[in-house]
């Protein structure tokens, strides 16, 4: 399954998922005080209400983008409820990634923890495609295998495994802390990866395989317009009239 990044049409439920997460990260007290200390103009409020900007929204709650004015009440910088950080790093193995993966596999997929060793994790999610450029400050397009890591208050809570190719961003896997399952990380990570595709000038976003009968994959069907490689049954077409076919 793939979609053309710049043609992506955001749905109401996807917009709601981003807003819910941002409100959780920032917290009601921060939102209230920030609105008072850094008020938006009438034009800014009107524009935000009428135009939802995906690229702005997915980065809004990242700590580096959060406004932290000095609060005259406390004489301290205004801080959000949580420190949320996202960074792209090489697809290397770490103890934190491995432990998070085990927690996800055992609680979400009900797998026996003994079936996964670090070598299995490395073989499954560290493909080792050559990364370029190595310098994170380089303006050159990133290529190769990467891990997009989500941290909340310094704790690793999700990892999106990505293959970055000249023409597209390929989503290999996403695993996250089941304690945060209510925030729909499958949906949130896909939206962030679409934003990454647009920001990095990658034409396509590949969502991997789609099995209509698999409940855990159903969310992929809501990302439109999308294209499926190969034949699709008649019943599939009737239920998903928005899906087209492309062939390699």
């Amino acid at each position: 399954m793939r979609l053309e990044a710049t043609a992506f049409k955001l749905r109401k439920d996807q917009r709601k998922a981003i807003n819910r997460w941002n409100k959780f990260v920032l917290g009601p007290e921060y939102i209230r005080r920030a609105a008072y200390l850094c008020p938006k103009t009438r034009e800014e409020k009107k524009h935000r209400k009428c135009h939802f900007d995906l690229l702005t929204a997915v980065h809004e709650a990242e700590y580096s983008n959060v406004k932290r004015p000095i609060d005259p009440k406390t004489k301290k910088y205004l801080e959000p409820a949580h420190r949320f950080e996202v960074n792209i790093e090489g697809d290397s193995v770490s103890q934190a990634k491995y432990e998070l993966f085990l927690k996800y596999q055992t609680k979400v997929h009900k797998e026996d923890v003994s079936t996964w060793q670090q070598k299995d994790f490395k073989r499954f999610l560290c493909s080792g495609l050559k990364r370029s450029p190595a310098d994170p400050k380089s303006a050159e397009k990133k290529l190769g295998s990467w891990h997009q890591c989500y941290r909340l208050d310094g704790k690793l809570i999700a990892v999106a495994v990505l293959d970055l190719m000249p023409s597209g961003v390929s989503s290999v896997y996403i695993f996250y802390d089941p304690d945060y399952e209510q925030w729909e990380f499958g949906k949130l990570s896909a939206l962030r990866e679409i934003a990454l595709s647009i920001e990095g000038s990658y034409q396509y976003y590949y969502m991997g395989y789609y099995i209509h009968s698999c409940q855990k994959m159903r969310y992929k069907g809501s990302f439109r317009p999308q294209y499926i490689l190969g034949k699709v049954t008649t019943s599939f077409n009737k239920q998903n009239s928005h899906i087209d076919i492309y062939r390699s």
Side-chain angles (χ1 to χ4, degrees):
M1 175 182 285
R2 80 177 185 189
L3 57 86
E4 193 162 352
T6 56
F8 171 63
K9 303 297 183 183
L10 195 72
R11 287 170 34 130
K12 184 178 180 180
D13 63 299
Q14 294 161 347
R15 184 170 67 247
K16 183 178 179 181
I18 296 175
N19 287 336
R20 283 181 63 240
W21 174 252
N22 288 346
K23 288 178 180 178
F24 165 71
V25 172
L26 297 175
E29 180 61 19
Y30 171 87
I31 294 173
R32 184 182 68 82
R33 293 296 295 161
Y36 173 75
L37 297 172
C38 306
K40 290 182 172 60
T41 65
R42 183 178 299 178
E43 290 73 21
E44 287 175 328
K45 291 179 181 178
K46 183 178 180 180
H47 184 271
R48 183 181 178 88
K49 185 176 181 180
C50 301
H51 301 87
F52 187 89
D53 185 355
L54 174 65
L55 304 189
T56 299
V58 297
H59 299 298
E60 183 179 341
E62 291 176 19
Y63 192 74
S64 59
N65 295 326
V66 173
K67 293 181 179 179
R68 297 167 56 237
I70 294 178
D71 192 330
K73 281 188 174 181
T74 62
K75 308 299 182 184
K76 297 179 180 180
Y77 287 108
L78 184 65
E79 294 286 349
H82 302 281
R83 185 180 181 122
F84 177 53
E85 298 166 298
V86 180
N87 71 294
I88 295 182
E89 58 187 57
D91 64 340
S92 59
V93 179
S94 73
Q95 190 63 28
K97 290 178 186 177
Y98 177 60
E99 290 176 358
L100 178 63
F101 175 76
L102 290 182
K103 186 176 182 181
Y104 174 80
Q105 293 297 120
T106 54
K107 291 195 175 183
V108 175
H109 292 291
K110 313 301 181 185
E111 292 188 358
D112 183 350
V113 67
S114 65
T115 62
W116 289 99
Q117 304 297 322
Q118 275 207 15
K119 62 180 181 179
D120 303 312
F121 171 83
K122 183 176 182 180
R123 184 173 62 249
F124 181 38
L125 297 176
C126 304
S127 60
L129 291 178
K130 184 178 179 181
R131 291 185 294 277
S132 173
D135 182 359
K137 296 181 180 179
S138 173
E140 186 182 346
K141 182 181 288 187
K142 283 185 173 65
L143 298 175
S145 300
W146 301 82
H147 286 170
Q148 189 166 54
C149 300
Y150 299 67
R151 290 180 173 85
L152 192 70
D153 300 325
K155 177 186 177 184
L156 185 67
I157 61 169
V159 177
V161 182
L162 306 174
D163 284 342
L164 305 185
M165 303 168 291
S167 64
V169 173
S170 176
S171 175
V172 178
Y173 203 66
I174 172 75
F175 57 97
Y176 55 83
D177 190 329
D179 294 343
Y180 297 89
E181 190 167 15
Q182 62 174 311
W183 303 108
E184 303 178 284
F185 262 93
K187 187 180 293 183
L188 289 176
S189 64
L191 292 169
R192 181 173 288 271
E193 288 152 24
I194 291 171
L196 173 65
S197 303
I198 297 171
E199 292 165 339
S201 299
Y202 300 95
Q203 183 178 3
Y204 296 110
Y205 173 54
Y206 293 87
M207 297 191 73
Y209 290 105
Y210 180 78
I211 302 173
H212 188 61
S213 60
C214 178
Q215 185 63 37
K216 289 185 174 67
M217 290 190 179
R218 287 288 178 89
Y219 77 93
K220 293 184 180 183
S222 66
F223 287 79
R224 309 171 185 175
Q226 58 191 218
Y227 302 86
I228 298 293
L229 176 66
K231 295 181 180 180
V232 182
T233 64
T234 302
S235 60
F236 185 91
N237 278 325
K238 288 180 179 178
Q239 295 178 18
N240 298 273
S241 58
H242 60 280
I243 295 179
D244 297 321
I245 307 298
Y246 75 87
R247 296 187 180 281
S248 57

